Amino acid sequence: MTVLMPQRKLMVFFLVLTAVLGFYMLSLSLEPKQWGHQSFVHRLPDSQNDRNTSLDYLPTLKPDLILAHQEDQREDKKYTTQAVGGISSKQSTKPVSNRASTPQEPVKPTEPDIFGDQYATDGVPFQTSCPSSIRKKLSQTAFAERFLGNVPVLQWAKHFSKKEYQRLSRFPGAHGWGSVDIEVLNNSLAILNTSANWQMFDDWEKRENRSRCIRCAVIGNGGILNGSMKGQEIDQHDYIFRVNGAVIKGFEKDVGRRTSLYTFSTNTLRNSMRSYAGVGYVGPPVDKETRYVFLPDHDRDYILMRAAATHTPITQGPEKSPKPPPYFGEDVTVEKFKMYHPDFIRYLRNRFLRSHMLSTRYKDIYRPSTGAVMLLAALHTCDQVSAYGFMTSDFSKYSDHYYDKTHHPVHFYANHDLRLELMLWQQLHQAGLITLYMRT
């Protein structure tokens, strides 16, 4: 009896131990596996803010391209743009941390041929001899290495050829002509055949009492402008750039009254009209001074431009209508329309806003935001640039838009790298190339 008792106790101990280990292994098998790189669903919404341009998503993306993995965190986590939430519109979305990144030294240009870092050249003359021009300051800054002054900012009739179509059709979306039918492209660019279509400031020579320098105010839609009382200051510039859902009525004291150049895509225009009707946005500003600058990324942009300029029905595409487009006024002429050149958009992406997204297989999702394209176009064409309503390091203090009725935090999505844009604005300001409005 004294011999059997320890043996039974030992047997019971092993049975209990085996049961505990079995239960533990089973529980492990039921837990989610942890991988070396966490995966996030990058949702590209159809009605969010246009200052950080989540309105700018590419409408033709396939579902499998929307699922993006954070494959490039290994080099620099400060450049990470994350989005959380699912593809379903029923799922909630939350912004990532509002902590702004510290400005870094500008990155060097990409190597040729990796992302198409070779561009057409243009001989468009600069319109002034301003002694304090941005171009004259560039050589003393870190941006001199990446700045190309002869990349065409705008495209027009002379840029189309079958050879150019073959070259640019390699690049999708706004970065090329890969999403545009050759006949649609040819028919649309053919009507952009006047000097007004390739000059950003086509009325400069006709202006009375013009100065030696072209002074531009570039207006984003950020909440930092609410209560700023900067409207009069903005309107004193020679040219005023605005973008997407720019609500002016009721906010003149903060954002000014004038619009010289309105930047948009067909997609962002339609989304803005749906999303911001409740706060007074009914469409693009319509005024004698206003010019309309398309950021094209699909057939629909070229189709809409041609129909609007020729006052003819839209015969195909999502905007198909038996009537001409009503957005730009009944008396709009072809001289009022301009279109960014895809080489210019790709050049901005490659040399100024080279995000970590470009090193993933989802690089076709990413492009600079519409507001970023507008501001950098001003940098390349104006003598002096003042930027209002763009993201600053304390952006979390302000609502998404200056016209928001309640506070809406800024959201981040994979199609734009807003933190990288924020850092670029700080760098340009510190280099003395732009004056960034910071409400301090």
Side-chain angles (χ1 to χ4, degrees):
M1 189 70 173
T2 56
V3 175
L4 292 176
M5 284 298 293
Q7 291 179 343
R8 290 179 179 175
K9 289 181 179 180
L10 188 60
M11 185 178 297
V12 171
F13 172 79
F14 278 112
L15 288 173
V16 172
L17 181 60
T18 300
V20 170
L21 288 174
F23 179 81
Y24 177 72
M25 295 301 292
L26 178 62
S27 65
L28 283 180
S29 67
L30 295 175
E31 287 183 357
K33 294 182 179 180
Q34 301 298 317
W35 304 98
H37 296 286
Q38 292 183 341
S39 63
F40 292 84
V41 176
H42 294 273
R43 186 168 69 90
L44 308 181
D46 59 3
S47 59
Q48 286 289 341
N49 60 78
D50 50 23
R51 176 171 59 85
N52 61 24
T53 56
S54 50
L55 284 171
D56 300 345
Y57 72 97
L58 299 178
T60 56
L61 289 177
K62 296 180 181 179
D64 60 331
L65 291 182
I66 299 177
L67 297 176
H69 293 266
Q70 301 223 236
E71 298 172 349
D72 198 45
Q73 292 184 359
R74 59 190 180 278
E75 292 186 2
D76 191 346
K77 292 184 179 180
K78 291 188 292 296
Y79 284 86
T80 299
T81 300
Q82 300 177 354
V84 295
I87 297 175
S88 169
S89 61
K90 295 181 180 180
Q91 288 187 275
S92 63
T93 58
K94 298 179 181 179
V96 296
S97 170
N98 287 338
R99 179 174 58 83
S101 302
T102 304
Q104 304 295 309
E105 288 297 317
V107 296
K108 293 182 179 180
T110 60
E111 294 297 326
D113 295 328
I114 296 177
F115 299 118
D117 195 29
Q118 294 181 351
Y119 314 95
T121 59
D122 238 350
V124 175
F126 211 60
Q127 293 185 258
T128 70
S129 57
C130 176
S132 57
S133 172
I134 289 170
R135 294 194 177 204
K136 294 185 177 180
K137 296 178 180 179
L138 269 165
S139 62
Q140 306 301 317
T141 73
F143 289 94
E145 184 179 15
R146 60 172 120 170
F147 187 89
L148 298 177
N150 58 358
V151 176
V153 177
L154 301 173
Q155 61 177 326
W156 65 302
K158 83 159 195 175
H159 288 119
F160 176 81
S161 70
K162 290 184 178 180
K163 183 177 180 180
E164 276 295 273
Y165 184 79
Q166 184 178 15
R167 178 179 72 88
L168 286 171
S169 62
R170 296 164 46 210
F171 309 108
H175 305 115
W177 290 337
S179 306
V180 188
D181 177 80
I182 189 170
E183 291 302 321
V184 168
L185 182 70
N186 187 19
N187 292 337
S188 297
L189 289 186
I191 69 170
L192 299 180
N193 56 16
T194 73
S195 60
N197 303 127
W198 57 260
Q199 283 187 321
M200 187 68 79
F201 312 114
D202 58 87
D203 65 342
W204 177 249
E205 307 302 329
K206 302 174 184 177
R207 292 197 174 198
E208 297 181 359
N209 303 318
R210 62 181 181 273
S211 64
R212 294 183 66 184
C213 304
I214 296 177
R215 300 168 298 113
C216 299
V218 187
I219 318 302
N221 297 326
I224 193 173
L225 280 175
N226 190 294
S228 67
M229 301 299 290
K230 288 293 178 179
Q232 185 176 1
E233 178 180 308
I234 288 170
D235 281 340
Q236 289 175 349
H237 290 76
D238 296 310
Y239 293 92
I240 292 92
F241 290 65
R242 299 189 194 273
V243 65
N244 290 343
V247 181
I248 296 176
K249 187 176 181 180
F251 298 93
E252 293 88 348
K253 290 183 178 180
D254 294 334
V255 303
R257 300 173 181 274
R258 295 171 49 212
T259 303
S260 311
L261 294 137
Y262 175 75
T263 291
F264 65 103
S265 70
T266 303
N267 188 58
T268 61
L269 171 61
R270 296 293 299 273
N271 284 340
S272 294
M273 293 181 72
R274 285 195 298 266
S275 302
Y276 309 127
V279 291
Y281 182 80
V282 295
V286 177
D287 188 80
K288 182 180 179 180
E289 177 186 9
T290 307
R291 274 59 170 161
Y292 305 100
V293 191
F294 276 83
L295 199 173
D297 63 11
H298 198 266
D299 279 4
R300 64 195 296 207
D301 298 290
Y302 294 91
I303 293 168
L304 178 65
M305 184 279 296
R306 190 179 193 285
T310 57
H311 297 273
T312 55
I314 304 174
T315 58
Q316 61 187 111
E319 284 70 48
K320 185 176 180 179
S321 170
K323 298 180 180 180
Y327 311 119
F328 312 103
E330 295 180 357
D331 301 323
V332 70
T333 63
V334 69
E335 288 80 12
K336 283 210 168 192
F337 290 99
K338 308 176 194 293
M339 302 191 92
Y340 288 114
H341 197 292
D343 270 352
F344 182 68
I345 308 303
R346 201 172 67 261
Y347 153 71
L348 298 182
R349 180 198 69 180
N350 290 345
R351 291 178 172 244
F352 287 86
L353 290 166
R354 191 178 67 184
S355 172
H356 77 285
M357 286 297 295
L358 291 174
S359 61
T360 74
R361 63 192 179 102
Y362 302 101
K363 59 182 179 293
D364 288 345
I365 292 176
Y366 171 77
R367 73 162 171 82
S369 69
T370 306
V373 171
M374 174 181 68
L375 180 48
L376 291 171
L379 181 78
H380 282 72
T381 54
C382 304
D383 291 313
Q384 300 168 7
V385 173
S386 299
Y388 303 83
F390 285 82
M391 285 184 68
T392 54
S393 57
D394 60 347
F395 68 88
S396 61
K397 292 168 53 178
Y398 310 107
S399 189
D400 205 357
H401 309 101
Y402 62 81
Y403 45 77
D404 288 337
K405 294 181 179 179
T406 59
H407 183 87
H408 296 286
V410 177
H411 291 254
F412 297 86
Y413 299 92
N415 53 332
H416 307 307
D417 194 336
L418 301 184
R419 296 188 185 281
L420 186 56
E421 292 183 8
L422 183 157
M423 289 190 289
L424 178 59
W425 312 148
Q426 292 175 336
Q427 292 162 4
L428 291 170
H429 177 81
Q430 291 165 3
L433 298 179
I434 69 171
T435 300
L436 179 64
Y437 172 62
M438 294 178 282
R439 195 167 176 170
T440 55

